[in-house]
Amino acid sequence: MQCACLGLGGAGGAGHFTSLNPSHLPERGARGEALQHGQSGTLPHFLEEPVDAYIVKSNPIKLRCQARPALQIFFKCNGEWVHQSQHMSQEHTDLRTGLKIREVMINVSRQQVEDFHGPEDYWCLCVAWSHLGTSKSRKATVRIAYLRKNFEQDPQGTEVPLNGMIVLHCRPPEGVPLAEVEWLKNEEPLSSDGVVDARGDHNLIISEARLSDSGNYTCVASNIVAKRRSATATVVVYVDGGWGEWSMWSACSSDCERQRSRDCTAPEPKHGGRLCDGVALATDNCTGGLCTQSVENSSDVALYSGLAAGVVTVVLLIIAVTLYRRSQSEYGVDVIDSSALTGGFQSFSFKTSHQANPLLINSSMQPDLTVSRTYTSPMCFQDSIDKELMAEHSLLDPLPDLKVKGVAERAEYHVMSHPQTFPRGLAPDYRGVAMGTTLGRRSKNLFTTQVSLTPSRPLHKATAVFGQAGGRLVVPNTGISLLVPHGGIAEDTTWEMYMIINQQDSSTVTQDEPEIFLSPAVTYGPPGLDLSCPIAMTIAHCAEVSADNWTVRLKRQMQDNKWEEVISVDEESTSCYCLLEAHRCHVLLEHPGCYALVGEPLNQEAAKRLRLAVFGSPDTCNSLGFTLRVYCVDDTPHAFQEVATGERSRGGRLLEEPKMMLFRGNTFSLQVSIQDIPQLLWNIKPFTTCQEFSFSQVWASNQRPLQCAFPLERYSHSSSQLSCKISVRQVKGEEQILQVYTSVVENEKGVVPFFTQSDCTITSQTGSRAFKIPLSIRQRISATFDTANAKGKDWQLLAQKLHIDRNLCYFACQESPSSVILSLWEAQHQDLGDLDSLASALEEIGKVQSTRIATLGCTREEQDSEFTKLG
């Protein structure tokens, strides 16, 4: 029987045709057909159905069907008929029954599978016809086989005591079909002898370790495509030493002593096991009358020797003190840390002594124990007396007609002199603080309305009293600040303002959308605050915003604790302004409340920044113990400040400069493992070498810092140095290595600060010292650019030169657009100690005027005239 007799056209699409009508099958004599294919009342019965198959590399696969009785058999793939020209069919006679059996085959290529884009895998089935009707076979799927190169988790080397438990974890590479796993020991297949348990989850467990179980273990994964080998894990089964019997006491020596010894052989330490504690040789004084005279003489000698040594020590101490005082008097002043006189972000350099703990180390070489390390601290207020004069001078070069006479307003400092406040503990509770009558005729009190916050985390507060002069409010070491512009508060009016920081659980953002908090929640108030212009609030965030993978929104918490959207940072709005930078966001606000930045990932490439840090401290209950603690927190100053506070309270030391890594929203977990521990010097508790955080724990980690601990124990007190690596990696993501090299001996500790100015408790400044731009300069710039002129020198040009080029409609609705732009500039540059960017912008705008003024040597009246022309 030929396929052509079906009358199925071959002019259809490549490889498939869309319809097949069984009525087109030719009619034969019913009797003859029944004799050839079985009884005419029988539906086709499949003797062989297509089976699932895998395409290896570029080799096509064959799908096969057999049925009887069958007039025809055709394949249908992904809901479409396969073209008849692609079928290979044949018939043969069943020798037992004498009936005809029809067999059909097709080829499926790799290209066909790759080109198919459906909701399920590529599939095919057979349809067989007889006089009574049709029968369908099972579906067979066709998949492209592969095996990734990298293991999702490699086994980690370990050291266990005799009869302890060995657990080696192995997660094979992703593959189709799933890889089968076998274990090798010293390159030989590992046989299961009743002691070794290779679990279905591919982990290897030896419940009672023997000395013969020491060796190099490798996890091997294989499927029909390839075979992969994991990194080799070295397992050491050690035996701790034990003391044998004591020997008999020896005879008394001429020094009136006797001795006895013992050996560390019960058992003898093996494979790096711990040596016996205590001494091998014991000495004791002999008793009896034979040694009395010798003892008395030796006691007299010891007495006189001690008195002589004491006299010499006192004399040397007096000489040393005298020389020290004489050398100090030559200077006549105390030594002062110059960082106390400079403000903003200060770079702090320090040198560790030869015995101190080095922070940065190249793993391939010995550390330089005298190299300087530099850290950058969070903002602390600048306290330079000549700041205003310096600022005015820097602006007068490009615009000499902006010179201003007069005395700078005196700044008022509100300092929380509570050393327990930061970095540990909370700020004092300022509720109910009485406001004096000297504050003005319309004095406003703090906390007139209770703030609704979830009290799940400790609060960080800052509070101050502001008047017409404005000022700045800062929660130290958190990246959170608030700028109140000059003139924002009416004359003869004061407000007691505050900021509160409280971390939120990401589950409280919304129940319907996959949003997470990218910053702490910040509340400013009081609720009835009445300002004539917007305040500028700066909030640090942890989103990686260099790529367009996020939708970032500013949200506000309502009375029912729900969050409503205020603005998306990419939107145009006249009610709010957001300027998103790489590490922080500057927001112009007019209404007090609780605000936070939230983010919605647009794809799996969306990433948040994590800050990784490793701390260490000796164990209090074990003189040989030392614990490493690894933290993974959102990369914001506030999140790391909480970690630093906790570590100070437990005496922890920062062992390596914190590092940043990107954690992507690809649903894969975070693994933290310890590597390269000196196996002959240190031991680590079982099951702790590799620890894991789930994706959801890390993705919403702002609710609590993530921490994992590695408890270590040295074999001997003589081992005073610890070197190892901490690997932090996201499965199918980035990896960071923290290098640890430290001394664990108490008297060799080096003092390593977490922040150079972390104890800064200046939380507010009022008046001119809170601003980079002197008031007179600010007022003249605003007066110049607020009014448009024919030369185009208006506030829009000022915004353009200051790189504020979006949502300009917000500034257009303000009473003084230039003043609000300068407030935003102040918030952007609060950590810098100069006015370079503003001076450059003004210089570019007024280049012609400043050149002519400088050439003519104008008088003050001429300067005013030229300044008017500039406007």
Side-chain angles (χ1 to χ4, degrees):
M1 185 179 296
Q2 301 296 320
C3 291
C5 72
L6 292 174
L8 301 174
H16 294 81
F17 58 88
T18 58
S19 64
L20 180 66
N21 192 339
S23 65
H24 293 168
L25 294 171
E27 292 288 343
R28 293 190 173 188
R31 184 65 180 168
E33 199 67 37
L35 292 175
Q36 199 170 35
H37 296 285
Q39 294 183 359
S40 59
T42 303
L43 287 173
H45 171 68
F46 284 99
L47 303 177
E48 181 180 357
E49 298 183 82
V51 297
D52 297 338
Y54 299 95
I55 294 179
V56 179
K57 298 183 179 178
S58 297
N59 301 319
I61 55 96
K62 283 184 169 60
L63 296 180
R64 181 180 286 107
C65 275
Q66 282 187 3
R68 74 177 183 195
L71 299 177
Q72 285 295 343
I73 302 176
F74 279 90
F75 273 92
K76 196 174 190 179
C77 294
N78 306 315
E80 297 184 0
W81 295 105
V82 178
H83 197 278
Q84 63 181 12
S85 63
Q86 296 185 9
H87 289 75
M88 296 170 284
S89 62
Q90 60 182 8
E91 287 184 345
H92 63 273
T93 303
D94 187 339
L95 298 180
R96 184 174 58 84
T97 63
L99 298 177
K100 295 290 187 179
I101 298 175
R102 177 169 291 276
E103 181 179 10
V104 175
M105 292 181 296
I106 63 170
N107 288 331
V108 179
S109 67
R110 182 187 184 99
Q111 189 66 41
Q112 287 176 280
V113 177
E114 289 179 342
D115 291 343
F116 174 68
H117 303 286
E120 53 187 345
D121 292 330
Y122 191 101
W123 61 268
C124 295
L125 57 78
C126 295
V127 181
W129 279 266
S130 72
H131 282 287
L132 189 62
T134 62
S135 297
K136 291 183 180 180
S137 71
R138 67 178 295 273
K139 281 185 178 181
T141 60
V142 181
R143 304 175 68 185
I144 298 175
Y146 66 93
L147 185 63
R148 304 288 187 200
K149 291 185 178 181
N150 297 324
F151 277 70
E152 293 189 359
Q153 182 178 3
D154 287 300
Q156 301 291 323
T158 183
E159 298 178 5
V160 297
L162 185 66
N163 299 324
M165 179 179 288
I166 300 174
V167 178
L168 297 179
H169 298 278
C170 176
R171 290 170 59 185
E174 177 186 342
V176 172
L178 294 175
E180 296 182 353
V181 170
E182 66 173 339
W183 285 89
L184 303 180
K185 177 188 174 185
N186 298 330
E187 301 302 323
E188 295 292 333
L190 187 62
S191 61
S192 178
D193 53 5
V195 178
V196 178
D197 180 12
R199 296 290 181 89
D201 56 3
H202 312 308
N203 296 332
L204 179 66
I205 298 177
I206 302 177
S207 56
E208 293 187 8
R210 304 159 297 185
L211 289 177
S212 59
D213 291 325
S214 297
N216 296 320
Y217 289 79
T218 308
C219 182
V220 179
S222 61
N223 66 3
I224 59 177
V225 178
K227 179 181 291 187
R228 312 292 189 202
R229 292 167 55 96
S230 71
T232 299
T234 300
V235 175
V236 177
V237 181
Y238 62 86
V239 178
D240 290 332
W243 290 114
E245 297 292 330
W246 286 77
S247 65
M248 299 296 292
W249 284 107
S250 66
C252 289
S253 66
S254 58
D255 296 330
C256 199
E257 290 181 343
R258 60 177 182 171
Q259 297 177 338
R260 63 177 177 179
S261 62
R262 56 179 177 173
D263 295 324
C264 188
T265 56
E268 182 179 357
K270 294 180 181 179
H271 298 174
R274 185 187 304 170
L275 299 175
C276 298
D277 292 331
V279 296
L281 183 65
T283 303
D284 190 22
N285 290 330
C286 294
T287 59
L290 294 178
C291 299
T292 303
Q293 184 63 35
S294 175
V295 172
E296 291 178 354
N297 291 339
S298 61
S299 298
D300 293 340
V301 172
L303 175 62
Y304 293 127
S305 299
L307 290 175
V311 172
V312 172
T313 301
V314 172
V315 172
L316 291 177
L317 182 61
I318 294 174
I319 294 174
V321 172
T322 303
L323 292 176
Y324 174 78
R325 290 182 175 178
R326 185 172 300 173
S327 64
Q328 292 298 310
S329 63
E330 295 176 1
Y331 295 98
V333 296
D334 293 332
V335 179
I336 300 177
D337 183 1
S338 61
S339 66
L341 300 179
T342 56
F345 262 87
Q346 296 296 330
S347 294
F348 181 89
S349 299
F350 61 90
K351 288 192 176 182
T352 56
S353 64
H354 185 71
Q355 292 181 336
N357 174 42
L359 290 179
L360 305 177
I361 179 172
N362 187 329
S363 59
S364 63
M365 59 187 298
Q366 290 295 324
D368 180 2
L369 299 184
T370 61
V371 68
S372 296
R373 313 296 182 201
T374 301
Y375 284 94
T376 300
S377 68
M379 187 191 76
C380 231
F381 284 121
Q382 180 172 329
D383 192 20
S384 174
I385 296 177
D386 297 327
K387 189 268 299 184
E388 179 159 347
L389 294 177
M390 178 179 64
E392 184 170 324
H393 181 270
S394 66
L395 288 175
L396 296 185
D397 288 338
L399 293 179
D401 52 345
L402 290 181
K403 290 183 179 178
V404 178
K405 295 182 180 180
V407 181
E409 299 179 22
R410 187 171 184 84
E412 299 178 19
Y413 283 82
H414 298 276
V415 180
M416 291 185 182
S417 57
H418 300 271
Q420 77 278 10
T421 300
F422 299 100
R424 68 177 68 183
L426 303 178
D429 192 350
Y430 283 83
R431 305 183 199 188
V433 175
M435 302 293 294
T437 56
T438 57
L439 293 178
R441 55 182 173 86
R442 285 197 303 150
S443 180
K444 307 293 183 182
N445 206 349
L446 177 61
F447 290 105
T448 55
T449 302
Q450 285 293 332
V451 180
S452 174
L453 277 179
T454 305
S456 58
R457 298 294 303 276
L459 297 178
H460 293 266
K461 303 178 185 177
T463 183
V465 178
F466 294 104
Q468 185 186 25
R472 195 187 301 269
L473 192 60
V474 171
V475 182
N477 308 317
T478 63
I480 309 297
S481 64
L482 189 73
L483 182 76
V484 182
H486 180 278
I489 299 176
E491 189 176 1
D492 296 330
T493 303
T494 57
W495 287 92
E496 185 176 5
M497 299 180 61
Y498 60 84
M499 279 198 305
I500 302 175
I501 301 177
N502 189 24
Q503 291 282 68
Q504 300 287 322
D505 186 341
S506 284
S507 62
T508 65
V509 181
T510 176
Q511 297 179 352
D512 302 325
E513 299 181 9
E515 291 181 322
I516 62 170
F517 279 101
L518 299 175
S519 75
V522 182
T523 299
Y524 87 90
L529 183 64
D530 182 19
L531 299 178
S532 62
C533 59
I535 59 95
M537 184 164 65
T538 298
I539 308 177
H541 68 80
C542 63
E544 174 60 28
V545 295
S546 58
D548 296 331
N549 298 321
W550 287 97
T551 295
V552 181
R553 301 181 178 95
L554 180 71
K555 288 200 170 185
R556 181 180 180 184
Q557 192 175 33
M558 307 306 293
Q559 292 292 336
D560 57 359
N561 287 335
K562 293 183 179 180
W563 292 83
E564 71 168 6
E565 180 177 339
V566 178
I567 187 176
S568 173
V569 296
D570 296 327
E571 291 180 353
E572 301 282 323
S573 172
T574 58
S575 61
C576 180
Y577 188 93
C578 286
L579 179 61
L580 186 66
E581 296 179 339
H583 294 271
R584 57 188 182 176
C585 183
H586 308 285
V587 187
L588 298 177
L589 297 170
E590 299 179 7
H591 303 289
C594 181
Y595 295 89
L597 287 176
V598 301
E600 179 183 353
L602 300 179
N603 50 56
Q604 292 193 351
E605 291 301 312
K608 59 184 289 188
R609 301 187 316 275
L610 298 181
R611 188 178 300 191
L612 313 175
V614 55
F615 290 81
S617 62
D619 292 350
T620 57
C621 56
N622 182 4
S623 61
L624 295 175
F626 192 85
T627 300
L628 298 178
R629 290 177 296 278
V630 181
Y631 293 90
C632 306
V633 300
D634 288 353
D635 186 26
T636 61
H638 174 250
F640 188 71
Q641 175 71 356
E642 289 198 351
V643 172
T645 301
E647 282 296 326
R648 276 197 182 90
S649 64
R650 63 170 56 178
R653 287 181 284 155
L654 182 63
L655 303 182
E656 163 72 313
E657 183 176 0
K659 293 187 177 180
M660 188 276 290
M661 76 171 285
L662 295 180
F663 185 82
R664 302 199 179 277
N666 56 12
T667 72
F668 286 96
S669 59
L670 186 74
Q671 295 178 347
V672 184
S673 60
I674 186 169
Q675 305 170 1
D676 298 346
I677 303 174
Q679 297 180 354
L680 299 180
L681 302 177
W682 288 86
N683 176 46
I684 185 170
K685 288 185 177 181
F687 313 110
T688 61
T689 55
C690 183
Q691 303 179 38
E692 189 167 5
F693 297 110
S694 67
F695 172 79
S696 58
Q697 285 179 292
V698 185
W699 197 239
S701 62
N702 65 325
Q703 59 181 334
R704 183 96 33 202
L706 299 178
Q707 171 196 348
C708 58
F710 296 99
L712 303 171
E713 185 177 18
R714 46 186 172 150
Y715 293 126
S716 170
H717 287 90
S718 61
S719 301
S720 62
Q721 299 294 324
L722 171 62
S723 63
C724 63
K725 294 179 181 178
I726 303 292
S727 168
V728 183
R729 64 180 286 264
Q730 183 183 17
V731 178
K732 296 189 178 180
E734 288 192 4
E735 179 181 23
Q736 276 286 10
I737 299 293
L738 298 172
Q739 178 72 51
V740 175
Y741 186 90
T742 184
S743 170
V744 298
V745 180
E746 189 73 21
N747 58 8
E748 292 186 4
K749 285 184 180 179
V751 178
V752 181
F754 303 137
F755 297 111
T756 59
Q757 296 173 335
S758 60
D759 293 326
C760 172
T761 55
I762 300 179
T763 60
S764 66
Q765 280 185 317
T766 60
S768 61
R769 298 225 177 176
F771 304 97
K772 294 289 187 280
I773 309 173
L775 176 60
S776 303
I777 299 293
R778 179 189 182 99
Q779 291 175 335
R780 189 165 293 220
I781 292 176
S782 299
T784 301
F785 291 100
D786 276 348
T787 305
N789 57 68
K791 299 179 181 179
K793 294 183 174 61
D794 59 3
W795 63 267
Q796 298 187 47
L797 179 61
L798 178 64
Q800 176 188 350
K801 297 302 180 183
L802 294 179
H803 308 291
I804 301 173
D805 52 4
R806 53 169 298 275
N807 198 11
L808 296 183
C809 60
Y810 175 82
F811 301 102
C813 297
Q814 302 298 320
E815 182 179 348
S816 174
S818 301
S819 180
V820 178
I821 292 173
L822 294 179
S823 295
L824 185 59
W825 183 93
E826 288 271 6
Q828 284 184 277
H829 298 82
Q830 58 184 296
D831 301 328
L832 303 177
D834 55 52
L835 297 166
D836 287 348
S837 64
L838 180 59
S840 298
L842 295 177
E843 181 179 14
E844 188 173 349
I845 295 173
K847 189 173 183 180
V848 176
Q849 285 78 2
S850 66
T851 302
R852 185 168 67 178
I853 293 172
T855 304
L856 297 176
C858 300
T859 64
R860 179 54 187 267
E861 290 74 14
E862 292 170 333
Q863 292 177 15
D864 291 339
S865 174
E866 290 296 330
F867 183 82
T868 303
K869 295 177 182 178
L870 175 64

